[in-house]
Amino acid sequence: MSRLNAPRIVITGLGAVTPIGNTKEDFWNGMMSSRSGAANITRFDATAFDTRFAAEVKEYDPTLHITRKEVQRMDLFTQFAMSAAVMAVEDAGIDFEKTDRNRCGVVFGSGIGGMWTYHHQQQNLYDRGGVPDRISPFFVPMLISDIAAGHIAIRYGLKGPNYGTVSACATSSHSLADALMLMQRGMADVVLAGGSEAVVCPMGIGGFNAMKALSTRNDDPSTASRPFDLHRDGFVMGEGGGILVLETLEHAMNRGARIYAEFAGIGLTDDAFHITQPAPGGEGAVRSMRLAVEDAGLLPTDINYVNAHGTSTPFNDKSESAAIRTVFGDHADSMLVSSTKSMTGHLLGAAGAVEAIATTLAIHHQIAPPTINLSTPDPDCTLDYVAGTARPAPIKAALSNTFGFGGHNATLCFKAFEG
């Protein structure tokens, strides 16, 4: 099927578990109130670590959506996934009893998978002096990053395409991109797509500390994530999950679904430059954004808002700002750009989905979320980053960027739905 004849894809349901809210509504309200999700780590004793804070999910009760028995057999990242999925399906108002489940799929990823499960099971092994009889039979099914997609399918009996994606911080953007392509190819009418992550654990914090990637602003965690600020010193680890219910326009219209926005295009590239640093000038990001705009059948001047990758690291913020200027030229000065990671922290494999939700809601409500903690702009970052507070604005089309270790670049394009 040619792209010209491909079905239009729309967003009908949203589910989010984040450091600033455990529902779609609370997440949106958290952004609108410029709330920081960063605080001292409570999941383990981080006293000896260079970074002793993170953006943890707070007051989370998985039994609102899954049974206690299921909780015991799921890593935290899968629990986040299930909660987000249940809320997204409820939000979409879709009844799978009345839907061809063979044409309903799940594409759901995690950048790292069950790190807490590995931590606990390895500790069991060490506590037994290396004797493996205390390793749980659920160890592998809890660990593997594709298992969340499997659990979601089992919950709803969805028998269409089903798998997980892994591309570091671009993971769940690739989940959404794959879902779009599957539906455009005619292989599904409905796909639940997104990602989750739960790596606020000793090896997660310790590993990123070893790379010097995390902020060490331990005296004031709430101001540590400061994208595009001259005094940024690294990202803040976050956790959570997000999922979007995607449908072909025909399927959504036939059941009278509420439509948030249209998922219009994607751009997928790689820097082929360095395992962690972006290419000079954001060259890979430039191609990714250009492809997404072109795939959506739009012009650069049609884009009003960019939800930036905006990690609060020295390399990313500068290169992404340069890339946006390269793509949009003079139009960049009339666009709004913000980093919601300033509030949520960096959710790694879940970032793309959660930020796609933020972008979708920005279009739905016609309000650009803010970049908080931007008090001293970096002279190399010269765009309008919606500093401090959210800003009402006409947003007809928007991009969401995610870039991952390995040089992976994914840009998603959303636009206001017009019947």
Side-chain angles (χ1 to χ4, degrees), residues 44-124:
F44 66 96
D45 182 359
T47 303
F49 288 72
D50 293 337
T51 297
R52 299 187 289 278
F53 61 91
E56 296 177 337
V57 170
K58 303 159 188 69
E59 300 179 358
Y60 170 64
D61 182 2
T63 62
L64 292 174
H65 308 109
I66 49 182
T67 68
R68 294 188 182 278
K69 185 176 181 180
E70 289 172 323
V71 169
Q72 294 172 352
R73 297 179 178 182
M74 292 179 183
D75 187 88
L76 185 58
F77 91 94
T78 304
Q79 295 173 35
F80 290 154
M82 292 302 295
S83 292
V86 171
M87 289 188 288
V89 170
E90 290 176 351
D91 188 47
I94 189 167
D95 183 355
F96 288 114
E97 295 288 344
K98 300 177 181 178
T99 306
D100 183 353
R101 300 187 203 213
N102 293 321
R103 294 190 56 77
C104 297
V106 183
V107 186
F108 194 94
S110 178
I112 300 178
M115 283 196 78
W116 269 116
T117 292
Y118 197 96
H119 171 84
H120 291 311
Q121 295 303 313
Q122 185 180 57
Q123 194 63 52
N124 286 345

Side-chain angles (χ1 to χ4, degrees), residues 158-171:
L158 309 182
K159 298 184 178 182
N162 185 287
Y163 55 92
T165 56
V166 179
S167 53
C169 308
T171 290

